[in-house]
Amino acid sequence: RTETMGEAEQKKILYPILWAVLLVCVAWPISYFLVPFWVTLLPLEILFDIVRSANLVLFKLIIWPKEVAKAVVDARETFPTPFPRENSAKSALDPLDLRGQLADKPYEYEPPKINVGNN
């Protein structure tokens, strides 16, 4: 069965409304609730790898409203998940490349070199 023009227009209206309700009633409250935990655990990432993994999950949930807002604007029919699959279409998380930049790299800090005197 093929969609008629009216059904396609209804979907273009229905999905943005649905995702907007999800954004306001679910995604934002979850983000607001999780931010203090994420900030509290952030300094402990250096000491414990398990905290780094937990913070990555928290971070994805905290920025989930960005993915939901993108689904509203694009009138997507697919659920805007905070945890996109590896082979799924690009999501709002892709520019950050969380898998490569945060999860796999150890923390490395080298203090800046300061030249004192006439060396």
Side-chain angles (χ1 to χ4, degrees):
R1 178 183 156 206
T2 60
E3 284 185 359
T4 63
M5 186 62 163
E7 290 174 347
E9 289 299 319
Q10 286 176 350
K11 284 185 178 182
K12 281 210 169 268
I13 295 171
L14 176 67
Y15 282 108
I17 293 171
L18 179 66
W19 303 145
V21 169
L22 177 73
L23 177 66
V24 172
C25 296
V26 178
W28 274 338
I30 287 174
S31 290
Y32 288 135
F33 177 75
L34 293 176
V35 165
F37 297 106
W38 179 72
V39 170
T40 302
L41 293 174
L42 201 56
L44 299 175
E45 282 187 0
I46 296 171
L47 301 173
F48 307 106
D49 285 336
I50 189 79
V51 175
R52 185 180 312 155
S53 300
N55 256 7
L56 183 62
V57 171
L58 288 174
F59 182 70
K60 287 181 179 183
L61 287 170
I62 289 167
I63 64 171
W64 183 38
K66 179 180 177 183
E67 183 68 25
V68 177
K70 189 167 172 37
V72 171
V73 171
D74 295 344
R76 271 197 246 149
E77 293 183 18
T78 57
F79 180 74
T81 177
F83 306 104
R85 293 188 186 121
E86 296 293 327
N87 58 358
S88 67
K90 287 194 128 211
S91 72
L93 298 177
D94 286 341
L96 298 175
D97 191 20
L98 296 175
R99 291 174 299 277
Q101 292 183 10
L102 296 178
D104 299 331
K105 292 186 178 178
Y107 286 94
E108 297 175 8
Y109 174 73
E110 184 175 322
K113 307 233 188 269
I114 300 173
N115 292 330
V116 179
N118 295 338
N119 294 350

